[in-house]
Amino acid sequence: MTVQAENHAVRMPAYIDHSHLVVRDLPMVSSWYQTIMGLKPIEKTASGETLGVAGRPLLTLTTQGNAAIAPHNAPGLFHTAFLVPDRTELGRWLAHIAHNNVPLQGASDHLVSEAIYLGDPEGNGIEVYRDRPRDEWNYLQDGMVKMATLPLDLQALYDEAPKDTWDGMAGGTAIGHIHLQVSDIPEANAFFGDVLGLDLMATYPGASFFASGKYHHHVGANIWNSRGAPKRQANMTGLSDYTVHFNDPAKLQNAVTKLDELEIPVKRNGDTVSLIDPWGIGLKLVG
């Protein structure tokens, strides 16, 4: 398995390790993630399968007979963000999807990163991005990082990319962050900041971005579609749960202590602490 640089998203005190989606057509969605996203099968179970890159599990897909299509405004996934190693790999993937006529939902230069957006066949949001080197990031006096949403020149990215045979996502690809739909931003600030111990790294109208280790964001939370929405129901399609992995055991213990203080129910299974977040989304904390 590729070892990332010390300042990579997954080397921070806490990072996003995994995303788990409930889908209605498992064979079709799994095939799409393998063909279009270049993920490889890692494990199959009775209810689904886990896909990843170079042996690193990133995405679990499961299906259930009573799964109801989640409303557009339900709390849950805005997008799972796959972080590729560099601009060359972002361009190679762009060339691949262009040759497969995959429609895009957008492309942005965020100053700290370059990002391409699309949706899977059941409407689950996806971002594929590369980080700019950290020495090109600008931090503000309050400790937040300067981000923006500027147009990304897709033609230039495509033109620069090697047009060799594409055989899936490059080794070292990981989940860089996850972006959620929530019901209330102050509640998100309290949960991700005060409970999980992440730092508020950027704000935007209707959104907050949280991270560990001064990364630009490991978690995004917005109310653009979901302001005031009721909790997500357990049998909805879309994001069933996601995993926050703590490289720093003390930060994990602090989070668990806060959950206990707030009397938020948790289940412990070995090193994994499972809970339901304030919006009905499953969350696993592991060390």
Side-chain angles (χ1 to χ4, degrees):
M1 190 177 294
T2 302
V3 177
Q4 281 89 356
E6 288 186 6
N7 62 1
H8 190 277
V10 304
R11 297 288 298 277
M12 297 301 96
Y15 67 96
I16 302 301
D17 199 17
H18 203 87
S19 181
H20 170 197
L21 305 179
V22 173
V23 299
R24 290 173 70 90
D25 189 335
L26 177 64
M28 182 268 291
V29 175
S30 176
S31 175
W32 187 90
Y33 274 98
Q34 292 177 55
T35 302
I36 302 304
M37 296 300 298
L39 304 184
K40 307 292 187 185
I42 291 177
E43 181 183 11
K44 287 200 174 189
T45 65
S47 61
E49 51 193 82
T50 296
L51 308 174
V53 175
R56 184 188 191 99
L58 300 179
L59 180 70
T60 293
L61 303 171
T62 58
T63 191
Q64 52 194 58
N66 67 339
I69 297 176
H72 179 62
N73 69 335
L77 186 69
F78 193 66
H79 58 242
T80 301
F82 296 92
L83 173 58
V84 299
D86 51 39
R87 181 177 167 89
T88 297
E89 291 301 330
L90 184 63
R92 291 183 75 237
W93 175 77
L94 173 63
H96 162 69
I97 62 167
H99 299 161
N100 282 273
N101 298 312
V102 177
L104 298 180
Q105 296 175 347
S108 297
D109 179 344
H110 293 303
L111 303 182
V112 294
S113 63
E114 294 180 313
I116 300 172
Y117 300 92
L118 69 162
D120 77 12
E122 294 196 0
N124 297 294
I126 296 168
E127 174 182 339
V128 180
Y129 75 110
R130 71 100 180 182
D131 278 334
R132 284 199 167 91
R134 281 221 194 186
D135 59 13
E136 296 180 17
W137 302 6
N138 290 307
Y139 291 92
L140 308 175
Q141 286 188 338
D142 58 8
M144 294 192 194
V145 67
K146 186 176 181 181
M147 295 172 63
T149 300
L150 307 173
L152 177 62
D153 187 342
L154 286 175
Q155 188 63 52
L157 185 62
Y158 176 88
D159 290 344
E160 292 172 23
K163 304 303 187 292
D164 52 357
T165 301
W166 188 79
D167 188 34
M169 286 292 191
T173 298
I175 293 181
H177 65 268
I178 195 163
H179 195 147
L180 306 173
Q181 294 194 159
V182 301
S183 309
D184 183 75
I185 290 300
E187 189 176 39
N189 292 345
F191 182 73
F192 292 110
D194 301 340
V195 179
L196 295 191
L198 302 179
D199 298 319
L200 182 64
M201 293 304 298
T203 60
Y204 198 78
S208 289
F209 300 90
F210 311 91
S212 176
K214 306 298 285 182
Y215 189 61
H216 53 74
H217 67 297
H218 288 104
V219 177
N222 77 62
I223 55 168
W224 300 328
N225 300 313
S226 51
R227 181 193 301 269
K231 280 189 176 183
R232 176 181 187 81
Q233 298 302 303
N235 68 328
M236 285 180 177
T237 57
L239 184 64
S240 173
D241 59 77
Y242 63 103
T243 302
V244 178
H245 190 121
F246 288 83
N247 288 321
D248 183 338
K251 288 190 178 293
L252 173 57
Q253 186 54 53
N254 288 343
V256 172
T257 299
K258 283 283 191 180
L259 291 166
D260 290 343
E261 288 175 359
L262 295 171
E263 298 182 346
I264 296 175
V266 301
K267 293 180 180 177
R268 290 173 169 83
N269 182 4
D271 294 334
T272 302
V273 176
S274 301
L275 62 140
I276 304 297
D277 77 10
W279 312 282
I281 307 166
L283 172 59
K284 294 179 180 178
L285 309 179
V286 302

